[in-house]
């Protein structure tokens, strides 16, 4: 018996049996029927009409009609690759078992297969990879205990700290629902009323908002997680990927020049680097804090709009990742790859980070909507180990994960009729104490401006100059009250920051016209297209 089929010689879709006259390259239908004529419909005479029973054509065209699944609402534009993660067996100079019992980290030199998907966040599936936008950096670890998804971005922080604001934020950053054009005024209208966005705005409108490619950008888990050791003791942890290829970003002018030649440049760069054997590599670092509120800090360590400063909370290496194999099929592997922040293995846990809590519901839920209730049976998402559940049926269920010898009649637990049974506990369970009133309140230590100012002052001159240039280009399209509010917020971050934006707006002519975030002269481009267009006759 294989996958429930008991006919002698039968297997699954990988069965290599061939019919008479077939060889390994013979075209067939999805039913396995050899196709002798793939050039012509079956018609009455060679001019038609066509007949309804054109089975091969109907199967072919109706599948073509359904080739696209719903696009991701965010992270639609992506590229991916396979590789491995190699553990160091330590966290810095300490045994990693002191902090986590997760098996993939324990042994020096242990390699775990991974699949990584890089992406842009706001823009659509075929948008240019030169647009100003955070980049997604999602890693699926196929561990011996099942999959672990580390889902993050290239930047270490995010715009908001509470998941209830996420749909509003994305709506503001996406194209206008009437014009279908992205609009800086909508972006800054939201940001001017959400001061916690200032730190992320400072990064996104600087060259850090346009990484040069996927190989030369950092990655971060963004949210705060926990590690749990064998004794059930937990610590807070942040994850950071550092590229061995170095870090490179683009100014707005650089990006526009590249986009004029190639709008797929980052996907092409990743694919070609792997094809020529120049395998990209990242080192994984963690920052660790004891599990608590940490009142000695001037920010809440669960606040994802904040960086944990390196000088206070050092980066400690735990392993490296190498990408050494390109996908064989983009759709099957990159487009259908499904990640979720709730996909953790033993020894890893959630913190109380309010954005993480919301993402954990949203990420997996969007995959069930996008590619179906059985998306975890797809090869790219399936763990590389045994699976045995009592989950049944649903759209596109193509096998039942019965355990060897399991009673197929029993799809529930507990049971005394030879069904599945619970696993033994691998270590002491982590049981945090939770107490407090149910409220709808912001955190106590919001401190929305300090780190944004520190980031501004830490930038190189060219980064500050590009930041001001991009902000002025964007804000000059906005209503005066939004401009004034943003100047006030930037000034609270750093007086020079606010002054330079204000001076830039005074000198800039008012420009209307929506367009990609941070872009300049979008209105002029519309007129220029008409002026440069060459007249021609009809045909």
């Amino acid at each position: 018996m294989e996958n429930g089929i008991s006919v002698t010689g039968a297997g699954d879709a990988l069965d290599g049996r061939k019919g008479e006259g077939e060889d390994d390259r013979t075209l067939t239908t999805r039913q396995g029927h050899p196709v002798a004529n793939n050039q012509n419909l079956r018609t009455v005479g060679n001019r038609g009409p066509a007949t309804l029973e054109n089975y091969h054509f109907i199967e072919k065209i109706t599948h073509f009609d359904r080739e696209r699944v719903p696009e991701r609402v965010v992270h639609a534009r992506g590229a991916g690759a396979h590789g491995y993660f190699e553990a160091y067996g330590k966290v810095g100079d300490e045994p990693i078992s002191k902090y986590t019992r997760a098996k993939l980290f324990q042994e020096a030199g242990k390699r775990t297969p991974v699949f990584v998907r890089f992406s842009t966040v706001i823009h659509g599936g075929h948008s240019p990879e030169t647009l100003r936008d955070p980049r997604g950096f999602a890693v699926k670890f196929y561990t011996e205990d099942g999959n672990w998804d580390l889902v993050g971005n290239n930047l270490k922080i995010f715009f908001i700290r509470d998941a209830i604001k996420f749909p509003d934020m994305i709506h503001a950053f996406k194209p206008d629902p009437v014009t279908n054009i992205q609009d800086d005024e909508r972006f800054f209208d939201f940001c001017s009323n959400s001061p916690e966005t200032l730190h992320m705005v400072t990064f996104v409108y600087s060259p850090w908002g346009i990484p040069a490619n996927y190989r030369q950008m950092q990655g971060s888990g963004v949210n705060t997680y926990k590690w749990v050791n064998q004794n059930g003791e937990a610590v807070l942890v942040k994850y950071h990927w550092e590229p061995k290829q170095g870090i490179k970003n683009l100014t707005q002018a650089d990006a526009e020049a590249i986009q004029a030649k190639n709008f797929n440049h980052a996907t092409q760069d990743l694919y070609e680097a792997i094809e020529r054997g120049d395998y990209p590599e990242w080192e994984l670092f963690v920052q660790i804090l004891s599990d608590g509120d940490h009142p000695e800090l001037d920010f809440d360590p669960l606040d994802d709009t904040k960086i944990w400063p390196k000088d206070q909370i050092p980066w400690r290496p735990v392993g490296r990742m190498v990408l050494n194999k390109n996908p064989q099929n983009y759709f099957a592997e990159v487009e259908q790859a499904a990640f979720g922040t709730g996909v953790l293995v033993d020894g890893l846990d959630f913190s109380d980070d309010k954005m993480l809590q919301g993402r954990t519901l949203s990420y997996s839920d969007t995959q069930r909507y996008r590619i179906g209730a059985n998306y975890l049976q797809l090869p790219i998402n399936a763990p590389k180990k045994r699976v045995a559940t009592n989950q049944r049926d649903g759209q596109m269920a193509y096998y039942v994960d019965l355990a060897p010898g399991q009673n197929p009649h029993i799809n529930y637990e507990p049971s005394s009729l030879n069904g599945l049974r619970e696993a033994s506990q691998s270590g002491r369970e982590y049981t945090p104490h939770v107490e407090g009133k149910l409220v709808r309140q912001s955190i106590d230590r919001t401190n929305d401006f300090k780190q944004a100012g520190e980031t501004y002052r830490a930038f190189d001159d060219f980064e500050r100059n590009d930041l001001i240039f991009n902000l002025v280009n964007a804000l000059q399209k906005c209503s005066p009250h939004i401009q004034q509010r943003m100047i006030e917020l930037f000034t609270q971050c750093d007086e020079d920051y606010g002054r330079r934006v204000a001076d830039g707006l005074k000198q800039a002519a008012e420009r209307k016209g929506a367009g990609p975030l941070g872009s300049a002269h979008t209105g002029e481009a519309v007129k220029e297209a008409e002026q440069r267009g060459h007249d021609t006759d009809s045909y």
Side-chain angles (χ1 to χ4, degrees):
M1 297 259 313
E2 184 171 357
N3 292 348
I5 298 172
S6 58
V7 179
T8 302
D12 55 20
L14 301 179
D15 193 321
R17 291 186 301 159
K18 291 182 280 289
E20 185 178 350
E22 287 186 66
D23 61 28
D24 288 338
R25 297 187 61 189
T26 299
L27 178 68
T28 76
T29 69
R30 280 283 176 89
Q31 304 282 15
H33 306 156
V35 176
N37 189 329
N38 195 43
Q39 316 306 316
N40 302 288
L41 287 166
R42 194 178 190 190
T43 57
V44 179
N46 59 21
R47 295 184 66 242
T51 58
L52 183 60
E53 87 288 353
N54 265 282
Y55 180 79
H56 172 48
F57 166 72
I58 290 171
E59 283 293 294
K60 185 176 178 181
I61 196 66
T62 55
H63 184 276
F64 173 81
D65 295 342
R66 293 161 173 80
E67 278 186 359
R68 297 294 176 265
V69 299
E71 185 175 281
R72 289 169 167 89
V73 178
V74 289
H75 299 278
R77 167 65 129 143
H82 299 269
Y84 63 85
F85 173 77
E86 184 177 290
Y88 295 160
K90 295 181 177 180
V91 53
D93 295 326
E94 296 185 277
I96 203 163
S97 58
K98 177 179 176 181
Y99 299 103
T100 178
R101 61 181 185 245
K103 293 176 185 174
L104 79 157
F105 290 123
Q106 301 304 315
E107 301 170 24
K110 181 171 185 172
R111 291 186 175 184
T112 299
V114 298
F115 181 79
V116 180
R117 187 177 187 272
F118 304 104
S119 58
T120 55
V121 175
I122 294 299
H123 304 288
H126 294 284
S127 56
E129 293 180 304
T130 44
L131 296 180
R132 187 168 303 282
D133 202 10
R135 267 52 173 179
F137 195 124
V139 183
K140 188 180 293 293
F141 298 79
Y142 300 97
T143 87
E144 64 194 273
D145 274 346
N147 289 351
W148 168 35
D149 290 351
L150 180 54
V151 191
N153 290 332
N154 65 314
L155 299 173
K156 298 178 180 61
I157 56 171
F158 199 57
F159 291 96
I160 54 176
R161 62 172 67 95
D162 195 307
I164 200 170
K165 297 181 72 169
F166 189 78
D168 299 289
M169 184 201 85
I170 297 300
H171 284 172
F173 297 179
K174 283 280 193 180
D176 183 308
V178 176
T179 66
N180 197 37
I181 302 170
Q182 195 179 33
D183 190 342
D184 286 293
E185 185 168 64
R186 288 162 44 81
F187 178 93
F188 283 108
D189 182 33
F190 178 87
C191 293
S192 66
N193 288 287
S194 306
E196 70 268 29
T197 63
L198 266 290
H199 197 187
M200 190 68 164
V201 167
T202 301
F203 272 109
V204 169
Y205 273 78
S206 79
W208 289 88
I210 313 179
N213 52 56
Y214 296 131
R215 292 182 303 113
Q216 294 175 300
M217 75 178 194
Q218 295 172 303
S220 172
V222 179
N223 294 110
T224 302
Y225 291 85
K226 289 183 180 180
W227 275 358
V228 180
N229 67 14
Q230 196 68 25
N231 297 324
E233 301 160 338
V235 292
L236 301 177
V237 64
K238 286 260 197 183
Y239 299 100
H240 305 288
W241 296 104
E242 195 74 0
K244 294 289 187 71
Q245 298 74 234
I247 304 167
K248 288 191 175 183
N249 299 317
L250 300 174
T251 65
Q252 182 68 34
D254 295 331
E256 289 174 1
I258 292 166
Q259 185 175 319
K261 299 181 178 74
N262 188 342
F263 70 95
N264 303 289
H265 80 282
T267 294
Q268 184 173 339
D269 173 82
L270 177 67
Y271 184 89
E272 292 181 351
I274 293 173
E275 283 297 290
R276 67 175 177 263
D278 183 11
Y279 301 141
E281 181 177 341
W282 288 260
E283 191 163 29
L284 180 61
F285 294 85
V286 296
Q287 292 174 286
I288 296 175
L289 282 173
S290 60
D291 186 8
D293 296 341
H294 290 276
E296 77 279 5
L297 299 174
D298 61 8
F299 63 93
D300 191 316
L302 302 186
D303 181 355
D304 66 357
T305 69
K306 302 295 188 292
I307 290 172
W308 289 8
K310 268 187 183 181
D311 57 349
Q312 294 175 267
I313 311 160
W315 285 24
R316 305 166 74 177
V318 296
R320 69 187 187 106
M321 179 174 71
V322 177
L323 300 183
N324 58 6
K325 182 178 181 294
N326 280 313
Q328 292 180 294
N329 180 275
Y330 177 87
F331 181 83
E333 294 163 76
V334 182
E335 184 62 23
Q336 292 196 139
F339 299 86
T341 56
V343 185
L344 306 178
V345 294
D346 184 52
L348 313 179
D349 215 320
F350 307 96
S351 77
D352 298 331
D353 179 337
K354 290 195 276 187
M355 269 302 297
L356 176 60
Q357 303 274 321
R359 290 177 77 200
T360 295
L361 167 66
S362 180
Y363 270 61
S364 294
D365 185 52
T366 197
Q367 306 300 352
R368 284 186 282 269
Y369 161 73
R370 201 173 65 87
I371 46 179
N374 290 294
Y375 72 95
L376 292 173
Q377 290 187 349
L378 296 170
I380 192 63
N381 299 319
K384 297 183 184 298
K385 65 175 293 292
R386 64 175 292 278
V387 173
T389 76
N390 284 322
Q391 295 173 348
R392 296 289 185 270
D393 309 334
Q395 190 177 41
M396 299 300 291
Y398 63 95
Y399 66 84
V400 178
D401 49 31
L402 292 169
Q406 178 184 348
N407 185 342
H409 299 279
I410 306 302
N411 60 349
Y412 54 87
E413 190 281 327
S415 169
S416 58
L417 298 175
N418 203 25
L420 300 176
R421 57 182 182 271
E422 295 173 319
S424 57
Q425 185 73 35
S426 61
R428 185 173 298 173
E429 189 171 359
Y430 169 57
T431 57
H433 178 74
V434 180
E435 182 179 347
K437 294 181 179 179
L438 289 174
V439 297
R440 293 182 184 272
Q441 297 176 356
S442 185
I443 60 175
D444 294 328
R445 288 169 283 168
T446 55
N447 208 350
D448 293 325
F449 309 108
K450 180 185 176 186
Q451 287 200 3
E454 291 171 344
T455 295
Y456 174 79
R457 292 186 290 274
F459 279 163
D460 292 332
D461 286 342
F462 90 92
E463 291 174 317
R464 273 193 296 271
N465 293 339
D466 196 58
L467 168 66
I468 300 301
F469 173 82
N470 295 324
L471 287 172
V472 170
N473 272 331
L475 284 166
Q476 67 186 353
K477 308 170 196 171
C478 299
S479 301
H481 75 278
I482 294 176
Q483 293 178 352
Q484 190 57 43
R485 174 63 175 157
M486 291 306 301
I487 291 170
E488 292 170 0
L489 294 175
F490 291 139
T491 302
Q492 290 187 68
C493 299
D494 182 277
E495 287 190 15
D496 182 67
Y497 193 176
R499 179 189 58 76
R500 289 187 66 181
V501 172
D503 290 348
L505 286 171
K506 287 176 186 176
Q507 297 170 21
E510 180 183 356
R511 287 201 186 106
K512 291 297 180 184
L517 296 184
S519 58
H521 312 296
T522 55
E524 289 92 325
V526 175
K527 295 176 183 176
E528 192 174 338
E530 182 179 6
Q531 292 165 357
R532 285 177 176 251
H534 298 278
D535 291 329
T536 186
D537 293 330
S538 180
Y539 64 90

